Amino acid sequence: MMDEENGKLVSFKSLGVCDQLAEACEDLGWKAPSKIQIEAIPQALAGKDLIGLAQTGSGKTGAFALPILQALLDAPQAFFACVLSPTRELAIQIAEQFEALGAGIGVKCAVVVGGIDMMQQTVALAKRPHIVVATPGRLVDHLSNTKGFSLRTLKYLVLDEADRLLNQEFEKSIDEILGVIPRERRTYLFSATMTKKVKKLERACLRDPVKIEAAAKYSTVETLKQQFRFIPAKHKDCYLVFILTEMSGSTTMVFTRTCESTRLLALILRNLGFRAIPISGQMTQTKRLAALNQFKSGECNILIATDVASRGLDIPSVDVVINYDIPSNSKDYYHRVGRTARAGRSGVAISLVNQYELEWYLQIEKLIGKKLPEYPAQQEEVLLLLERVSEAKRISIMKIKEGGGKKKRNRGEDDGEEVDKYIHSKNKSFKKSRR
């Protein structure tokens, strides 16, 4: 990347990153530092506390991982850094980046999140890792119950997606963690948005921080093409199938409001021959990861998700985001569409707006500061699909009802295999049925 002020080409080395870590960046295919990395790394290496405001997909994990690993090289010790994340998936991903960057220097990481066996984590902590990546609730569980585990020697604390870590569900845990770690430490706070709560957290735990802003307040990247389509609620499934058919071959994330609708939509789409898989907070951790891996590997090219999956998941090659349900909180729109057009790529975001969601949609336009163009589709053409979509929906609802007696299945814990059983034999493939 070019330094805008003096026109020089910036490399990780020129930011002060040591040779070993600069090579690790190269091995990961990071050719040049991103904007947030250029701003944050020198300040962090100079020993400053940081507040980083950055869009999702901007490279912020590298912005805090590299300075921490460099400091660890200078003074290796167990429990050197702790990174807090609001979701399990993001925590796993952060640990993967630490391990990839630190592979050549023998960095040990432990992931401490809910939904995974506590005993397994206790064993990992007993090995005294350098870096602990955790969700707040589970970290508090271990600090209270795991013999011999403490963070009294911690040198670095990172709060990633800090605006979400301050939701009510996490606030108490965060306070407890701040109460048992050293005051003498470096703290990095990263957030996509600067809310009143983030300001409060800044006052509570940062010392004379440097503020780095790599994004306008609620901007969406320029390479993102955003559209909407106003539709009657009863034809929403038809429009979704129409768009997915038009975009066939693309990697797509479809966002819904509830865990139940992720599951139903996945069944409907599979009945029509699409390779769709659901992911939601009701699935077990193992099944969420399995679904994510199927999507990442390309085995399924449509991921149907609730907002659990809208932030922090590093899925670099999503071409299209479809808002099947408009989020009632307009800020969630910004995070959802951040799944596409990442790291300079182009992407498309299409929002299906029915008569009940207009108010929410207008809030989104107000937030992003622009009127969006309409997605072009002839209603007569879309409704040619009505019969097949209705039939697929009828079969899917029937299958869900059949499985309703089994508690586990009703908890939305189906992965790809479970959904596969429901594919209707008559609908093996779904071609454009238009002449």
Side-chain angles (χ1 to χ4, degrees):
M1 194 182 245
M2 250 338 159
D3 184 339
E4 284 160 25
E5 278 178 35
N6 49 31
K8 280 184 188 163
L9 204 62
V10 181
S11 67
F12 284 101
K13 257 176 144 170
S14 69
L15 296 178
V17 174
C18 68
D19 290 355
Q20 272 172 297
L21 291 173
E23 274 169 37
C25 293
E26 213 168 292
D27 293 343
L28 284 181
W30 299 2
K31 293 187 171 52
S34 67
K35 187 167 188 274
I36 187 83
Q37 290 165 352
I38 291 171
E39 305 263 337
I41 290 171
Q43 299 283 7
L45 291 174
K48 300 280 187 190
D49 279 9
L50 299 180
I51 296 173
L53 296 184
Q55 282 169 245
T56 167
S58 60
K60 58 183 162 51
T61 308
F64 61 75
L66 287 165
I68 288 172
L69 290 171
Q70 191 146 318
L72 179 66
L73 267 174
D74 293 341
Q77 68 155 67
F79 304 117
F80 187 74
C82 175
V83 184
L84 294 178
S85 135
T87 67
R88 307 159 182 185
E89 286 81 7
L90 178 57
I92 289 163
Q93 208 171 278
I94 291 168
E96 281 170 357
Q97 286 224 337
F98 265 103
E99 280 167 352
L101 285 168
I105 55 174
V107 169
K108 286 191 295 188
C109 272
V111 179
V112 171
V113 295
I116 287 174
D117 179 48
M118 230 170 124
M119 204 54 225
Q120 208 179 318
Q121 293 171 358
T122 302
V123 170
L125 291 172
K127 290 180 180 165
R128 301 180 56 75
H130 303 106
I131 317 284
V132 176
V133 189
T135 48
R138 181 53 66 93
L139 185 64
V140 167
D141 289 347
H142 280 288
L143 285 167
S144 317
N145 305 316
T146 299
K147 225 175 166 198
F149 169 59
S150 87
L151 292 175
R152 280 194 295 272
T153 59
L154 195 75
K155 297 287 184 279
Y156 285 81
L157 174 70
V158 181
L159 294 116
D160 196 12
E161 303 276 9
D163 47 349
R164 280 187 78 195
L165 282 173
L166 292 167
N167 288 354
Q168 272 178 320
E169 54 178 315
F170 296 125
E171 207 159 359
K172 189 169 172 286
S173 303
I174 297 278
D175 286 345
E176 285 183 45
I177 293 162
L178 290 175
V180 297
I181 60 174
R183 290 181 71 84
E184 287 297 323
R185 58 164 199 272
R186 294 273 68 84
T187 308
Y188 302 152
L189 192 146
F190 283 85
S191 179
T193 54
M194 189 66 170
T195 60
K196 287 191 180 80
K197 285 185 168 178
V198 175
K199 282 203 168 80
K200 181 179 143 192
L201 186 63
E202 172 198 337
R203 286 198 298 276
C205 70
L206 278 80
R207 296 176 174 208
D208 195 18
V210 175
K211 191 171 169 187
I212 289 150
E213 209 159 341
K217 194 175 178 196
Y218 287 109
S219 68
T220 46
V221 290
E222 282 145 32
T223 50
L224 174 65
K225 180 182 175 187
Q226 299 173 83
Q227 296 170 304
F228 81 99
R229 180 72 198 204
F230 191 55
I231 54 167
K234 63 182 176 186
H235 294 150
K236 196 183 253 194
D237 294 338
C238 251
Y239 272 90
L240 176 67
V241 171
F242 178 84
I243 292 168
L244 289 171
T245 310
E246 291 277 293
M247 304 272 181
S248 65
S250 301
T251 315
T252 305
M253 280 186 83
V254 178
F255 283 102
T256 71
R257 197 168 297 120
T258 66
C259 298
E260 288 71 26
S261 55
T262 60
R263 188 169 169 228
L264 177 60
L265 275 182
L267 287 174
I268 292 169
L269 292 174
R270 290 222 168 198
N271 271 318
L272 293 166
F274 290 99
R275 291 176 295 131
I277 193 155
I279 185 170
S280 73
Q282 279 189 352
M283 291 160 70
T284 61
Q285 183 62 21
T286 318
K287 290 194 171 163
R288 273 157 71 170
L289 287 175
L292 203 53
N293 287 335
Q294 276 183 274
F295 184 61
K296 277 185 171 179
S297 69
E299 204 178 314
C300 292
N301 67 330
I302 300 167
L303 183 68
I304 302 171
T306 52
D307 282 302
V308 135
S310 71
R311 289 173 71 171
L313 294 189
D314 183 29
I315 306 165
S317 56
V318 175
D319 307 313
V320 184
V321 165
I322 299 173
N323 287 307
Y324 175 83
D325 290 323
I326 297 297
S328 52
N329 180 345
S330 45
K331 288 175 195 170
D332 286 333
Y333 171 84
Y334 166 72
H335 296 296
R336 286 179 181 188
V337 301
R339 301 290 101 223
T340 183
R342 291 165 83 81
R345 295 183 189 86
S346 59
V348 178
I350 301 163
S351 299
L352 299 176
V353 189
N354 69 25
Q355 62 270 40
Y356 312 110
E357 299 170 317
L358 188 58
E359 190 75 25
W360 293 334
Y361 174 70
L362 293 172
Q363 285 298 320
I364 288 166
E365 283 199 333
K366 192 174 162 189
L367 183 80
I368 58 179
K370 57 180 165 193
K371 288 233 165 290
L372 300 183
E374 191 160 11
Y375 176 82
Q378 293 297 321
Q379 183 155 320
E380 310 80 69
E381 225 179 316
V382 175
L383 294 186
L384 289 175
L385 306 171
L386 187 57
E387 201 177 318
R388 296 181 72 185
V389 172
S390 302
E391 176 64 1
K393 187 170 188 174
R394 188 186 66 77
I395 294 163
S396 304
I397 290 170
M398 204 165 68
K399 289 293 178 191
I400 285 175
K401 280 181 180 165
E402 273 173 27
K406 295 181 185 176
K407 264 256 167 92
K408 250 194 168 177
R409 193 180 290 172
N410 209 30
R411 290 278 298 157
E413 296 190 359
D414 52 352
D415 56 12
E417 285 168 41
E418 190 77 27
V419 180
D420 268 331
K421 291 176 195 166
Y422 299 150
I423 299 179
H424 197 241
S425 55
K426 285 189 296 193
N427 283 322
K428 281 279 157 54
S429 69
F430 183 72
K431 301 278 184 277
K432 294 187 186 183
S433 52
R434 314 184 206 136
R435 286 284 172 270

